[in-house]
Amino acid sequence: MDTSKRAIIYCRVSTEEQANSGLSLDVQEKVCKEDVVKNGYSLLEVIRDEGISGGSMKRAGIQKIFNLAKERKINAVFMIHGDRLARNTFDHIEAINFFEKNKVRVYLVYQPGLDRNTAMGSTMDTILAAFNEHQRKVVSEKTRSALNEKVKEGWFPGQALIGYKNVDNPKFRQGE
């Protein structure tokens, strides 16, 4: 392990439920740690954004990584997949360009061989970033649609506002 090759692992999940009860963060960390060792880096830190959408770069963890890159304290960032970095095509490309400008290599463990220094690799990276954004938008549309249906059935999709009571809707019970 070369201590002059310093790496960060970045893990992210989109929902609090995934952060609190899922295995995803631990699995992301484990898989990335194996890749850090395989590539001869020393691990500086594991940074997590727990329960935060990749649709925005306003995440404490990713901002910390940007600062470490700007200060030249890291040489590499390891993530399992490009969708952990961003679920917005423009943000993804901007982040990749930022890392390249600051001489920080980005390793996407489940996307090996994606060489952004080639025409094909750069194009594929952009296409995958667009698919990641598409997936975020599809999930958003499905969620919005399901919540609208709940409202039509008489449900308030969430907790009642302050001053109101949460009551059971007798028209719609689980299993009936």
Side-chain angles (χ1 to χ4, degrees), residues 23-86:
L23 295 173
S24 182
L25 286 167
D26 294 334
V27 170
Q28 289 179 48
E29 183 177 333
K30 178 184 179 289
V31 168
C32 287
K33 277 183 178 176
E34 292 168 1
D35 221 47
V36 167
V37 170
K38 182 176 84 178
N39 285 282
Y41 285 87
S42 60
L43 180 60
L44 187 63
E45 186 176 356
V46 175
I47 297 176
R48 294 177 173 206
D49 276 321
E50 301 181 21
I52 303 173
S53 170
S56 167
M57 297 307 270
K58 293 179 182 174
R59 295 176 264 147
I62 201 67
Q63 291 302 316
K64 182 177 183 178
I65 294 170
F66 288 156
N67 287 331
L68 290 167
K70 207 180 311 181
E71 295 165 1
R72 303 281 199 250
K73 293 185 177 178
I74 58 173
N75 310 101
V77 177
F78 286 78
M79 293 170 258
I80 61 163
H81 195 276
D83 68 356
R84 300 301 85 199
L85 176 61

Side-chain angles (χ1 to χ4, degrees), residues 90-152:
F90 178 79
D91 288 344
H92 176 89
I93 293 168
E94 198 168 61
I96 292 298
N97 288 338
F98 171 83
F99 287 130
E100 286 176 357
K101 176 182 162 198
N102 287 282
K103 300 188 181 352
V104 174
R105 183 154 180 206
V106 177
Y107 287 87
L108 304 174
V109 178
Y110 290 161
Q111 294 172 292
L114 188 63
D115 183 359
R116 284 177 288 279
N117 295 315
T118 66
M120 182 59 78
S122 176
T123 301
M124 287 306 299
D125 185 54
T126 302
I127 290 169
L128 290 170
F131 275 114
N132 293 334
E133 179 176 348
H134 170 74
Q135 180 61 28
R136 177 183 53 86
K137 288 179 176 180
V138 166
V139 169
S140 178
E141 287 173 355
K142 287 180 179 180
T143 301
R144 199 170 27 259
S145 175
L147 291 175
N148 285 336
E149 288 304 314
K150 282 269 204 195
V151 168
K152 289 176 187 174

